[in-house]
Amino acid sequence: MSRPHGIPLPSAQRSSDSDETESACADDKQGQPRPREGVRQLTGAERVRTLVESNASVSLTLIGARDSHESEEFGTGLPVARTVTPDGDVILLVSGESAAARAAAHAQDDDLTAVIEITDVAPVSVPHRIRGRAWLAGWLTPVRGDDRAVCAALLAERHPVGELLGMQESLDAPHAGRPAWMMLRLEVGEISVDDLWGAEHVDPDDLAAAEPDPMVAHESELLQHLHSAHGDRLGELGGLLGAREARGMTAVPLSLDRLGLRVRFTGGPAGSFDARFDFPEPVADICGLRRAMHSLLSAASY
């Protein structure tokens, strides 16, 4: 099966409530602070893969839906779990009663085009809280046959959802006999991301080869802990910048990955700005992160 091409992504990769001249990351006139140059970063494919595997909110939209009620349901319905196959397809677990499930079940193979939109919001209170959005467009089909067990195992590995993966039938009339849950496959044809690092298109083949950041499962909890328990220590990181404007500003941990920590400094006369603090080496687990954070905070205290 060839991959689809030419599937339209949302215009200009922006949210529906944003001004047409602003990016998807712009929350007000100042806009989302962008990073300074010369820092290490994840590739676009790694960032999208991490978003897919994260707990960020996701919506599923059917392209060209004619029925207004069905279109609204596609736009607001939320898959309860998703993951990426080794081939780069996105597997979604949706209610068997959803419009997405019904449309996919009745469409001919590869006829149903859809877009997944993932919105990444910082887990701590901070100006410009939307950290980014990603869009993945492609063909939507039900997962069938022997692939069901394989895809269910992939979902369970990333998102333990208990009985949802039992795929039991609904017992409630008038829907008796229908599957309570359905797995859908999005064969990805186009990908776009607009986040803290900037806006770019991502090759679907690169998504298949990319790995999610190992910190994705822990990032929200870790940032909230840093903010609540070590806010003063984070403020000391401003001394590493050699920037006079960072003095007296509030430091809020904004994002964390295997390569480093991003902090947003707010409350200064010039407004908000971001600073990225690289770890001495990439971290692979919580133990490595603990050592990296200790080294970073120790350097700031001198």
Side-chain angles (χ1 to χ4, degrees), residues 48-120:
V48 173
R49 179 68 183 263
T50 299
L51 281 177
V52 175
E53 303 285 8
S54 74
N55 292 323
S57 63
V58 60
S59 64
L60 174 64
T61 301
L62 180 66
I63 300 299
R66 297 180 179 179
D67 184 273
S68 59
H69 172 72
E70 185 169 283
S71 178
E72 179 181 358
E73 186 173 347
F74 266 92
T76 58
L78 301 178
V80 298
R82 73 257 184 183
T83 192
V84 180
T85 70
D87 294 329
D89 298 335
V90 179
I91 303 300
L92 304 168
L93 184 63
V94 301
S95 166
E97 306 301 335
S98 67
R102 295 196 304 270
H106 291 94
Q108 297 293 323
D109 283 355
D110 304 333
D111 278 351
L112 192 62
T113 56
V115 174
I116 299 170
E117 179 176 348
I118 304 173
T119 302
D120 181 30

Side-chain angles (χ1 to χ4, degrees), residues 153-230:
L154 285 174
L155 280 171
E157 179 182 350
R158 296 293 185 186
H159 304 277
V161 287
E163 65 181 8
L164 297 186
L165 293 178
M167 307 297 160
Q168 69 273 27
E169 293 182 349
S170 174
L171 301 178
D172 299 328
H175 307 301
R178 292 183 183 177
W181 302 95
M182 179 180 287
M183 286 182 294
L184 302 178
R185 180 194 306 273
L186 185 76
E187 187 181 7
V188 180
E190 294 184 29
I191 304 171
S192 181
V193 61
D194 185 359
D195 61 9
L196 295 170
W197 297 104
E200 64 181 283
H201 291 278
V202 175
D203 190 300
D205 291 333
D206 292 338
L207 178 69
E211 290 290 336
D213 188 82
M215 295 295 103
V216 62
H218 312 286
E219 188 200 20
S220 293
E221 180 181 356
L222 291 169
L223 290 179
Q224 290 168 354
H225 173 73
L226 285 172
H227 183 49
S228 62
H230 303 287

Side-chain angles (χ1 to χ4, degrees), residues 230-252:
H230 303 287
D232 293 342
R233 298 291 307 278
L234 289 176
E236 295 176 0
L237 292 174
L240 297 176
L241 303 175
R244 186 173 299 176
E245 64 267 23
R247 297 174 184 175
M249 298 183 71
T250 300
V252 181

Side-chain angles (χ1 to χ4, degrees), residues 28 30-36 126-128 196 234-235 237-255 261-277:
D28 62 16
Q30 177 182 326
Q32 181 75 269
R34 298 296 192 182
R36 299 176 179 181
V126 64
H128 320 293
L196 295 170
L234 289 176
L237 292 174
L240 297 176
L241 303 175
R244 186 173 299 176
E245 64 267 23
R247 297 174 184 175
M249 298 183 71
T250 300
V252 181
L254 182 66
S255 67
L261 171 72
R262 183 193 299 267
V263 176
R264 179 154 296 166
F265 289 86
T266 65
S272 303
F273 70 90
D274 284 6
R276 172 78 175 187
F277 299 94

Side-chain angles (χ1 to χ4, degrees), residues 24-48:
C25 288
D27 292 306
D28 62 16
K29 293 181 180 179
Q30 177 182 326
Q32 181 75 269
R34 298 296 192 182
R36 299 176 179 181
E37 296 181 357
V39 295
R40 294 178 299 173
Q41 67 181 77
L42 305 181
T43 66
E46 289 174 325
R47 288 167 7 231
V48 173

